[in-house]
Every structure is written in structure tokens, then in C-alpha cells.
Amino acid sequence: MSKEITKHLQKKKKQILESWMTRQLTNDTLREDLMSNEDLREQSDELLDTLLKNITDRNMTDTQSEAFESVNELLAGISISRARQGFTPRETGLYIFSLKSSLQEILQQDHKDDPAFLYEASLKVNAMMDNLAVTTFETFIKGREEVILRQTSEITEISTPVIRVWDGILALPIIGTLDSSRTQVVMENLLQEIVESGSTIAILDISGVPAVDSLVAQHLIKTVAATRLMGAECIISGIRPEIAQTVVHLGIDLSNIVTKATLASALKYSFALLQLEVKKTAIKEKPKA
């Protein structure tokens, strides 16, 4: 019986594809902004063709068998690609479930006079497509996790820029919460820039840090210590009144670290250390012609 099902579905491939495309193109979840209709048809045709070529009477419900390897590989690629393109889990799931509906539709049209056959055939098609849907969701989640990890890494790099504000003076504005992994990135970026620029002063500006607790303070102290081991003086700026009160309340000792309320104050202190003086000069007016 299963063999008859697969042969029947293979003969009806064109009708199945048209039914599937109609369901996708008329669905409210259609995302023409992410994929053109032509690309959607090409992707759907390739998946359906690969599926129908590999299903047999014996492996139809065993989607983890060797015969389904090419199907699962193609489906995984589609799921990961959709995750990277910005499709939602619901939109990706409906992509597979709409194929299931089209397969059922063809069976019902051609075997409505044989309810026993139709019932058993529907069970097997349902089992096959449900298993493929599980594979779709699993690989979609992996693809989404890859996107999140990449974005997190990019955001971390962007949010920890080391700026050369003057010859011999570096500034690193920290935005957001400090944790162990981010502290490591901060240290690496800062120490690398100290080596490359030969700077002797580094300013850590924490005005963008929402709160300071004992863990954040420990991370700052470690960064200051690492900076000093590289032969540079480290100054912490951006100490707001509420942060100062928290530090005192927690009993955190920052007495051996130079702290300033603003980045401007830290920069002024740095100039003094380097024996630099910034003066305003009067702008000479251009002689009139």
C-alpha cells in the first residue's frame, strides 16, 4: 500500500507543487520582503522533488533513515537560511505544514471512494511530515542561535571601542553591564591598543554602565591591574553619585584607583600627568579687503 502511495504522489508532483505554492502565496505569512516568489517556487520545487525521489514504501515514516539523508540536509539548509534571513519560527513551520496539507489534498481527491486506504495513507503522510517539521524546528533554532551569537559578538565589539583621545591617552567608554566574558574583551582590546599606541594613560569611562555591584567592581579592578602591568596608568571616570553611594555601601575599596566624575575631568587629570596644557587662543580677524 505504501508503495502505491509513493508512486501516486510521484505521479502527482506537478499538482502537489501548484497546490503548495497556492497555499503559500495566499497565506498571510508570505514574506515577499525576504524572498521573491520565484525563489520561493525554486526552493519549494527542489525540496518536493528531493522528497518524492527518496520516499518508498519502507522508509516513508522513518525520516531518520539513510534514504532521507539528502532530504534532511536540504531541509536543514532551508531552515538555517530562513533563520538568517529573518523568518519567524511560525513562518518556517507553516512552510512545511502547508506541504503536508497539499499532500493530503491530493490523496483525498484521488482516493475519497476508498476511506480505508485514505485513512492509512493519511496516517503515514502525517507521520512523515510531522517528523520533517521537527527537523525543521531543530535546525531553525540552531540557525537562530548562530545569528544571536554573531550579533552578540558584534555588539560587544562595537560597545567596547578603544579611542585615542590624545597622544599617549586612550579612552574606553563602557556601555551596558560588565560580565566575565565582556571584561575579557575589554581587557584584550585595551591592552592591545596600549601596545600598539605606546600610550601611558588609559581612561575607563563607566558613565554608560547602569549599575555597579561587587562583581562589576571586581571586573574593573582586574582591568585596572592588567593595565598597570602594561606600564600604563588607569583612570576610572563616570562615577555618578548613585554609583559612588553603592560602592561605599558595598564596602568596595577603590582608594588605590584614580576616579573622576566625568570623562572631561579624567582627561584634564591626564593632561596634568603628561605635563600638557591646553589654552584658548584668540582668533585673529582676517584683514578686510
Side-chain angles (χ1 to χ4, degrees):
M1 181 191 66
S2 295
K3 187 174 182 180
E4 294 176 2
I5 295 174
T6 56
K7 283 186 176 181
H8 178 71
L9 293 177
Q10 288 163 355
K11 291 178 180 178
K12 295 288 185 175
K13 180 200 167 185
K14 184 177 180 180
Q15 292 93 318
I16 294 171
L17 178 62
E18 293 306 319
S19 173
W20 189 19
M21 287 303 303
T22 299
R23 292 177 187 276
Q24 294 185 80
L25 295 176
T26 57
N27 196 291
D28 294 337
T29 62
L30 181 66
R31 296 294 303 272
E32 293 182 276
D33 57 323
L34 300 179
M35 180 182 295
S36 67
N37 294 341
E38 292 77 13
D39 290 339
L40 180 61
R41 173 176 283 275
E42 182 179 346
Q43 185 183 83
S44 301
D45 182 56
E46 182 181 8
L47 178 59
L48 180 59
D49 184 64
T50 304
L51 175 64
L52 295 180
K53 282 182 178 178
N54 286 278
I55 58 175
T56 65
D57 56 330
R58 294 186 178 182
N59 68 16
M60 192 172 179
T61 57
D62 185 11
T63 58
Q64 297 304 312
S65 64
E66 185 177 349
F68 270 83
E69 184 177 346
S70 59
V71 178
N72 288 324
E73 183 178 345
L74 177 59
L75 192 56
I78 292 173
S79 299
I80 292 176
S81 174
R82 283 174 168 257
R84 292 172 178 170
Q85 288 174 303
F87 284 92
T88 66
R90 174 182 172 82
E91 292 163 351
T92 304
L94 289 176
Y95 172 72
I96 296 300
F97 288 127
S98 59
L99 172 57
K100 174 182 174 180
S101 298
S102 294
L103 292 172
Q104 292 284 15
E105 180 184 35
I106 295 299
L107 290 173
Q108 290 172 5
Q109 288 177 354
D110 297 344
H111 300 285
K112 58 184 178 182
D113 296 330
D114 190 351
F117 176 86
L118 179 60
Y119 174 73
E120 294 187 39
S122 296
L123 287 179
K124 292 202 171 188
V125 169
N126 284 343
M128 177 182 69
M129 295 308 300
D130 288 345
N131 289 333
L132 292 178
V134 171
T135 300
T136 300
F137 281 115
E138 287 178 342
T139 51
F140 182 89
I141 291 172
K142 290 181 181 178
R144 181 59 62 87
E145 288 175 347
E146 291 176 1
V147 172
I148 293 173
L149 288 174
R150 186 183 71 250
Q151 290 176 340
T152 301
S153 177
E154 291 173 352
I155 290 172
T156 300
E157 290 294 331
I158 293 173
S159 62
T160 54
V162 182
I163 305 167
R164 299 186 188 184
V165 294
W166 207 272
D167 289 341
I169 303 175
L170 300 176
L172 197 160
I174 302 174
I175 302 172
T177 304
L178 275 176
D179 55 23
S180 299
S181 59
R182 191 172 179 214
T183 300
Q184 186 64 33
V185 174
V186 169
M187 279 190 188
E188 291 176 357
N189 291 351
L190 182 58
L191 298 182
Q192 183 64 34
E193 192 63 29
I194 288 174
V195 172
E196 293 180 359
S197 65
S199 299
T200 56
I201 297 176
I203 303 172
L204 293 180
D205 184 73
I206 63 171
S207 56
V209 177
V212 173
D213 55 19
S214 57
L215 184 60
V216 172
Q218 290 300 320
H219 290 321
L220 290 174
I221 292 171
K222 290 179 181 179
T223 304
V224 171
T227 304
R228 287 175 174 173
L229 287 174
M230 296 298 295
E233 178 62 39
C234 191
I235 305 167
I236 298 180
S237 66
I239 306 292
R240 302 189 302 276
E242 58 270 26
I243 290 180
Q245 292 177 18
T246 302
V247 170
V248 173
H249 179 71
L250 294 174
I252 300 170
D253 184 15
L254 298 180
S255 58
N256 62 336
I257 300 175
V258 178
T259 59
K260 296 296 178 180
T262 64
L263 180 59
S265 298
L267 189 58
K268 183 177 180 180
Y269 178 82
S270 301
F271 286 158
L273 288 179
L274 295 178
Q275 297 181 348
L276 296 174
E277 186 176 356
V278 179
K279 292 183 178 181
K280 290 183 178 180
T281 58
I283 300 176
K284 296 182 179 179
E285 294 183 0
K286 293 183 179 181
K288 295 182 181 180

